[in-house]
Amino acid sequence: MSHPILPNPATEESAVPEADSKIPTTGAQAESPAADEPSFGDILSQFEEEHKAQGEAGGPKALEGRVIAVTADAVFVDVGRKMEGVVPLESLRSPSGEVLVKAGDAILVNITGLTPEGNYQLSTIRVERPKDWSGLQAAFAEKRTIAGMVEEVVKGGLRVDIGVRAFMPASRSGARDVPEMEKLVGQEIRCRITKLDVEKEDVVVDRRAVLEDEAKQAREQAFASIAEGQVVRGAVRSITEFGAFVDIGGVDGLLHVTDMSWGRVGKPADLVSVGDQIEVKILKLNPETKKISLGLKQLQPDPWSQAVERLKVGDRVKGTVARLADFGAFVELLPGVDGLIHVSEMSWSKKVRKPNDILKTGESVDVVVLGVNPAEKRISLGLKQALGDPWDEVPAKYPVGSVVEGPVKNLAPFGAFVELGDGIEGMIHIGDISREKRLEHPREMLSTGQVVKAQVLEIDRERRRLRLGMKQLEPTQADHFIAEHKPGDTVTGRVVEVHQGRAKVELGEGVHAWCRYGETPKEAAPAGKEGPKASVGDLSAMLAARWKGAGSGSTAAGGGATEGLRPGQIRNFRITAIDPANKRIDLELGE
């Protein structure tokens, strides 16, 4: 049976897919085949004769070897003979460029010759070439993998000898660019026939599909050999913004940046580099998507367990401000353990609106542990507590009755706030600003920034309030009266009220004294003790109506000294004691 001439795919447009026409063409590649090129039948006969002779001589036999080293362009294999064998690295790469073997792996190889260096030239081909035309047709129909020898780079791809000349498009070669395609020349490859047209004498083969299937099988085998919780060793293959991909023996797993370290990681490249050999823990396997999650920090103790043991409420600790948020600042106390300072715990003296008004990232700070929640891995911290509460010193520094001085910080309708320093403020109620007049608003007498003096009237430690008064420092009518009199002076006064041997006597507007009468008319009342209280309204009305004339039932000034006292009487009294500090005046009945 005669066969038509098989054309050279490098010069036949029908054999070159348009999608692969971008591969550069050299002059040698563009040469036309010789006019006397052998027929397809001649080529097939020659192929059968060579196979027959090789079979009679035993032919290349498959040997099991062990990979001893992987270099940049070759794989060295121990085949149990005097010399090592060499397999081109490109024949053991996946379509993505991943090397499919590593040192220690067992592989099947054939000895195909010797290298210039004297090593065995090995091939990993474990399939035979078809021995006849019917074998080619059967391989095409069954989509079997066959062996082929890459002869040269041609326009749009490669010419491959599979017993006949075949064309392999560049896109189906498994090479990423022209330099990688050139490395395939002279190598034995595994491929499949994707087109076999006897009429047009056109044969096309595909290597990429074979590599993809082998890579898929290798991944499935590798995936089946691992389990969650297992610790494996792998090589960092690539790094992204969110983590690193690690080859753990034929299959890649993702080491996410959050699983790299218990501490804060700026970017994955800060911890690992491409090519690093690292131990990782398999955290999760997804059988459907074949995705693998890896962890590096899981091989180290959880720092939170240490934090629970070491940090107690009330402890004063040092940390570094890791980051700022609208509601507070996160402080790293231990690697991987952060605590939160809420804005409300940053200052005693002022309301903090933004954490960066007080702190900055990277700053070292002293803080107090306010709370530890191991279950939620939360630690509450206080900055102001570490600085000390200024209110602890207020009772000693500003005791009731003491006089303070400071600028008016702000005004409100009900009073004025005075800055005393160290974040302490005092409030002067509008009723304690002046004795002279009734104010509608503090601004009638005070302004922001004005320095004033005031007396401490009350300290409320729990509510953190300090009440002040200005009018308490103004001289009163009693102050003037006391300044102008002394014990022994005789004065005239009006009896305001009488109660159990004691009488309250009005000596002038706003000036009151106490007088004992009865069995001990000359005994002065103890200094500092108040007598019965009288209504201010009643006293004012009484003074206005009766000061210059005796009231009902009164006697003339200087009347009987031993006569009983009644409200409304005007009598002469003698001053027995004066207490300026308490504005206290004691009397006895005069002559």
Side-chain angles (χ1 to χ4, degrees):
M1 178 178 178
S2 62
H3 296 278
I5 301 298
L6 181 66
N8 185 345
T11 60
E12 185 65 38
E13 292 294 330
S14 64
V16 183
E18 294 183 1
D20 302 314
S21 62
K22 296 181 180 179
I23 301 297
T25 304
T26 64
Q29 295 166 1
E31 293 180 357
S32 300
D36 57 347
E37 189 169 1
S39 68
F40 185 83
D42 293 337
I43 294 174
L44 187 57
S45 297
Q46 182 182 358
F47 169 74
E48 291 171 348
E49 289 295 323
E50 289 177 354
H51 239 293
K52 180 179 180 181
Q54 191 178 66
E56 292 174 353
K61 295 181 179 179
L63 301 174
E64 181 173 333
R66 189 165 298 278
V67 176
I68 57 176
V70 178
T71 65
D73 55 4
V75 176
F76 289 84
V77 181
D78 179 5
V79 292
R81 300 193 179 187
K82 294 181 179 180
M83 293 182 299
E84 298 170 349
V86 179
V87 181
L89 183 64
E90 291 303 319
S91 64
L92 292 171
R93 283 188 185 275
S94 69
S96 63
E98 176 186 353
V99 178
L100 299 176
V101 296
K102 63 182 183 298
D105 285 353
I107 60 174
L108 291 176
V109 294
N110 293 327
I111 299 176
T112 60
L114 295 175
T115 68
E117 292 78 15
N119 297 101
Y120 288 119
Q121 180 69 55
L122 304 179
S123 168
T124 58
I125 304 303
R126 296 189 296 275
V127 294
E128 297 182 356
R129 298 185 188 183
K131 296 181 180 181
D132 50 29
W133 174 242
S134 61
L136 287 171
Q137 290 179 316
F140 174 62
E142 297 171 10
K143 298 182 179 180
R144 289 204 311 263
T145 299
I146 62 173
M149 178 66 72
V150 179
E151 294 185 334
E152 63 176 334
V153 177
V154 296
K155 181 181 179 180
L158 297 163
R159 186 169 66 184
V160 183
D161 179 8
I162 59 171
V164 296
R165 289 179 179 177
F167 174 71
M168 182 167 65
S171 63
R172 306 310 301 175
S173 67
R176 290 171 290 187
D177 49 30
V178 173
E180 283 195 10
M181 287 174 57
E182 293 174 345
K183 291 180 181 180
L184 292 176
V185 175
Q187 292 190 27
E188 206 167 13
I189 63 169
R190 294 178 297 278
C191 58
R192 289 176 190 155
I193 301 173
T194 57
K195 184 177 182 181
L196 182 62
D197 191 334
V198 177
E199 294 292 333
K200 295 182 179 180
E201 302 173 349
D202 191 6
V203 182
V204 180
V205 294
D206 184 343
R207 174 176 178 256
R208 179 176 172 180
V210 175
L211 294 177
E212 288 176 345
D213 287 348
E214 291 176 348
K216 181 180 179 181
Q217 291 175 5
R219 286 195 298 269
E220 290 178 350
Q221 291 175 2
F223 192 89
S225 66
I226 58 178
E228 291 184 4
Q230 186 178 355
V231 177
V232 296
R233 189 168 185 82
V236 178
R237 190 172 62 82
S238 62
I239 298 176
T240 67
E241 293 181 357
F242 54 84
F245 287 94
V246 182
D247 179 0
I248 55 173
V251 63
D252 284 356
L254 173 61
L255 174 60
H256 197 272
V257 63
T258 57
D259 290 310
M260 286 185 169
S261 172
W262 292 112
R264 195 170 305 279
V265 179
K267 52 185 178 179
D270 293 339
L271 290 185
V272 296
S273 302
V274 174
D276 285 354
Q277 295 288 328
I278 58 175
E279 282 194 344
V280 290
K281 185 174 184 178
I282 299 175
L283 304 181
K284 188 176 181 180
L285 298 174
N286 189 325
E288 296 180 359
T289 62
K290 296 296 188 291
K291 290 184 178 180
I292 304 171
S293 299
L294 306 175
L296 186 61
K297 72 180 184 181
Q298 286 76 9
L299 299 179
Q300 303 295 327
D302 186 349
W304 272 94
S305 60
Q306 302 177 27
V308 172
E309 296 177 359
R310 293 175 54 180
L311 301 176
K312 306 299 180 184
V313 174
D315 286 353
R316 183 188 181 98
V317 295
K318 185 179 290 291
T320 302
V321 179
R323 58 191 174 95
L324 301 176
D326 292 338
F327 51 85
F330 290 92
V331 176
E332 186 177 48
L333 305 176
L334 298 170
V337 178
D338 289 353
L340 172 65
I341 308 175
H342 193 268
V343 288
S344 61
E345 303 297 343
M346 289 187 175
S347 175
W348 294 108
S349 58
K350 61 182 180 180
K351 184 176 181 180
V352 180
R353 299 186 181 276
K354 297 180 180 179
N356 56 11
D357 292 339
I358 302 292
L359 300 170
K360 59 182 179 181
T361 303
E363 181 181 0
S364 180
V365 293
D366 287 329
V367 291
V368 173
V369 178
L370 304 181
V372 179
N373 188 332
E376 298 183 5
K377 293 188 174 182
R378 292 183 179 179
I379 299 177
S380 301
L381 304 174
L383 177 65
K384 65 184 183 182
Q385 289 81 358
L387 300 175
D389 188 353
W391 271 89
D392 292 339
E393 300 178 3
V394 165
K397 193 173 182 179
Y398 307 111
V400 173
S402 63
V403 177
V404 297
E405 184 175 357
V408 176
K409 187 174 181 180
N410 64 312
L411 300 173
F414 54 84
F417 292 89
V418 179
E419 178 70 45
L420 300 181
D422 296 328
I424 304 298
E425 286 184 353
M427 196 273 287
I428 306 174
H429 191 269
I430 188 172
D432 290 317
I433 293 177
S434 176
R435 295 181 184 276
E436 296 180 356
K437 61 178 181 178
R438 181 182 180 86
L439 303 179
E440 296 295 330
H441 196 282
R443 62 170 169 262
E444 296 177 25
M445 289 193 65
L446 301 175
S447 60
T448 303
Q450 177 183 348
V451 177
V452 298
K453 286 186 177 182
Q455 187 178 58
V456 178
L457 305 180
E458 180 184 2
I459 298 174
D460 190 338
R461 177 68 179 81
E462 293 183 0
R463 301 173 69 182
R464 305 175 75 84
R465 291 182 179 179
L466 193 63
R467 181 166 161 257
L468 307 176
M470 290 176 61
K471 73 178 185 181
Q472 286 77 6
L473 298 180
E474 296 177 0
T476 63
Q477 293 296 328
D479 293 326
H480 292 300
F481 184 92
I482 290 174
E484 297 172 356
H485 293 81
K486 62 182 182 302
D489 289 353
T490 298
V491 294
T492 301
R494 183 181 302 279
V495 178
V496 176
E497 60 182 65
V498 177
H499 182 71
Q500 296 181 352
R502 298 183 66 196
K504 184 176 182 179
V505 180
E506 186 176 37
L507 301 178
E509 185 176 358
V511 182
H512 295 87
W514 292 93
C515 175
R516 283 186 173 274
Y517 67 96
E519 296 182 357
T520 56
K522 294 186 179 182
E523 183 180 350
K529 293 186 178 181
E530 295 183 357
K533 296 183 179 179
S535 168
V536 175
D538 293 343
L539 290 174
S540 299
M542 186 179 299
L543 285 172
R546 301 181 178 178
W547 181 251
K548 295 185 179 180
S552 174
S554 64
T555 61
T562 58
E563 183 180 349
L565 295 179
R566 297 185 302 277
Q569 286 183 330
I570 298 177
R571 301 287 297 269
N572 288 332
F573 300 90
R574 185 166 46 253
I575 299 175
T576 60
I578 295 178
D579 183 358
N582 294 300
K583 297 180 175 58
R584 172 82 183 208
I585 303 172
D586 291 328
L587 307 174
E588 65 180 5
L589 287 172
E591 296 295 334

